[in-house]
Every structure is written in structure tokens, then in C-alpha cells.
Amino acid sequence: MKIALMDSGIGLLAATAAVRRLRPDADLVLSLDPDGMPWGARTTQDLTARAVAVAEAAARYRPEALIVGCNTATVHALSALRARLEPAVPVIGTVPAIKPAAAGGGPVAIWATPATTGSPYQRGLIEDFADGVTVAEVPCWGLAEAVEHADESAIDAAVAAAAALTPDDVTTVVLGCTHYELVADRIRAAVQRPGRPPLVLHGSAGAVAAQALRRIGARPEPETSALGAVTVLLSGRVGALPAPALAYPEGRLLQAAVSPAP
């Protein structure tokens, strides 16, 4: 089995680790775009072109499925990626877990990038899946960038700033950017209020990994002892995991299996 994942940077690590835990034997292809990152500041046309190039680099390795491990790329480029690769390669996007979060009754906070916060895309998801639930949209200035560079002080500052914007009565936080899942424990600690029930966090990584297996008709086999290889592509070139990835458990989980660059 071979599954590919793509993103401009290391936001794909959470979904990659989730796939690894469900199917340790699967070969993984991680296609990043250090030459073009960050994607969030690009026009839709430019972002789509970069995303398609990164996806096609991964597709040359003949994966059975491709996970778009980025909320922004899913919003702007998913249709183009599916038009280019399907049905040969199923493409699975990453959508903020608003539906399961709202099912708990709320109040809910959605932590997302400033560009996504208040966007028609996010507002549409709230209208479709959180009707009747109190939802606060929280812009997380600089958090994705801080996580991407494993900048500890910048992560702490960005998390604290977003926590200050989060209403005190929130019971559930949706992690609306894949980077945020890498610092979920810090987010929980910052938002949890004394005397309140334990905060519930909803990321997308586990659901995306499970959906990828369903799309290719595979079952989770977490107990297998076999370990698949990990190939890293950097704007189409075979390389190594970016150094900041190793600051996170998800990156260290993969490091030993990364195929050496030529």
C-alpha cells in the first residue's frame, strides 16, 4: 500500500502520523513545496498551480490515494486536483471538524488562520453543520507560521493571543488549520478555564486518515510490525524532512523511515 500526502509545509505531519498509526506497513510519499510556501498568501490561481505541481510530483510515485493535508489548499484547489488525478488516484481533502464539534452542543470556537476566519467557506460550514450552536470564529495571527518554523516563543505568543480572543464559556475548539494539531496540547492548556469541564479539541487528521483507507478499500491494521518507507519530496525533489518537523512527535515518528536523498 502506498499513500501520498501533500502540503506547502509540515502541516501534513498530523495526518501523516495518523495514517502511520492506522497502517504502519504503508509506504508514504510526503510532497511539500518549500519553494512556494506559504500558500495562504497566494492568489487562488497561483495556489492551485502550486498545489497541482506538488500533487503531480507525488502522483509519479503511483500512490493509491492522495491526502491534501492543508485546509487552504482544500478550499481553493481540491476541485482542480480531483479533475487532474481522479479516478486513478482518489483525492481526500481536509475540512475543519465543525460538524462533530457542533454535535456536542457547544459553545464552540473555531481557531483558524486570519484568511479563513470569517470567509464564505467557513461561514458556509457553520451554517450547514452548526445551526443552533453558538460558534466563535477566532483568528490565530502567526500561529501556523510559528508552528512551521518550530519557533517556541512565537508559538506561545500566538496561542496566548488566540486564547485571549476565545470566549470563556467555550467547551469545544475546532483546530481549523492542520498546523495547529501539532501544538494541540498547548492550545488545550491555554484555553482550559479553571473549574470548567475538560476542553474538547477536534482536529481532522484521524478522520482524514480513516477516509483515505476507506476510499481504497483498506482496513486499519495498527498492530502490524512491518514499517513502510517514507519518501519526502521538496518541490518535486527527493529530500529529507525539514528540520522543524523533528521538533514534533509526529515528525520524529517518521524520521527513521525516511528514504535517503540521492
Side-chain angles (χ1 to χ4, degrees):
M1 181 190 303
K2 183 179 292 183
I3 295 175
L5 300 97
M6 59 169 282
D7 190 3
S8 63
I10 64 172
L12 53 65
L13 285 178
T16 305
V19 173
R20 189 67 154 174
R21 294 183 183 107
L22 291 178
R23 288 300 299 250
D25 59 326
D27 291 335
L28 303 175
V29 179
L30 312 186
S31 192
L32 288 71
D33 188 27
D35 293 355
M37 67 176 297
W39 284 349
R42 294 180 175 273
T43 65
T44 296
Q45 183 178 10
D46 192 19
L47 186 156
T48 299
R50 300 292 315 187
V52 168
V54 166
E56 289 182 334
R60 287 195 285 272
Y61 285 75
R62 301 183 180 278
E64 294 172 55
L66 171 69
I67 293 172
V68 184
C70 173
N71 297 90
T72 301
T74 298
V75 172
H76 296 291
L78 186 62
S79 295
L81 293 170
R82 285 178 168 165
R84 186 67 61 94
L85 297 179
E86 291 187 343
V89 181
V91 179
I92 297 91
T94 299
V95 177
I98 294 173
K99 183 176 181 179
V108 174
I110 304 173
W111 282 34
T113 63
T116 299
T117 301
S119 66
Y121 163 74
Q122 184 161 289
R123 290 283 168 84
L125 291 175
I126 294 170
E127 291 175 5
D128 290 343
F129 300 121
D131 185 37
V133 175
T134 301
V135 176
E137 297 181 85
V138 178
C140 302
W141 296 93
L143 181 54
E145 294 82 359
V147 173
E148 179 68 34
H149 296 100
D151 184 330
E152 297 291 327
S153 60
I155 292 170
D156 288 342
V159 168
L165 298 175
T166 303
D168 288 343
D169 62 347
V170 158
T171 62
T172 306
V173 173
V174 175
L175 304 178
C177 170
T178 54
H179 281 80
Y180 302 170
E181 297 191 49
L182 301 178
V183 292
D185 287 346
R186 298 196 203 191
I187 293 171
R188 183 190 303 279
V191 178
Q192 180 69 58
R193 310 302 187 202
R196 301 283 298 174
L199 187 73
V200 178
L201 298 185
H202 281 277
S204 301
V208 166
Q211 175 66 1
L213 293 184
R214 283 194 293 269
R215 288 288 302 275
I216 63 176
R219 297 174 59 86
E221 294 183 12
E223 303 305 323
T224 181
S225 59
L227 284 181
V230 178
T231 300
V232 177
L233 304 177
L234 305 175
S235 298
R237 307 176 299 273
V238 177
L241 279 174
L246 303 183
Y248 304 103
E250 294 86 349
R252 295 191 293 271
L253 175 68
L254 305 169
Q255 172 65 5
V258 173
S259 302

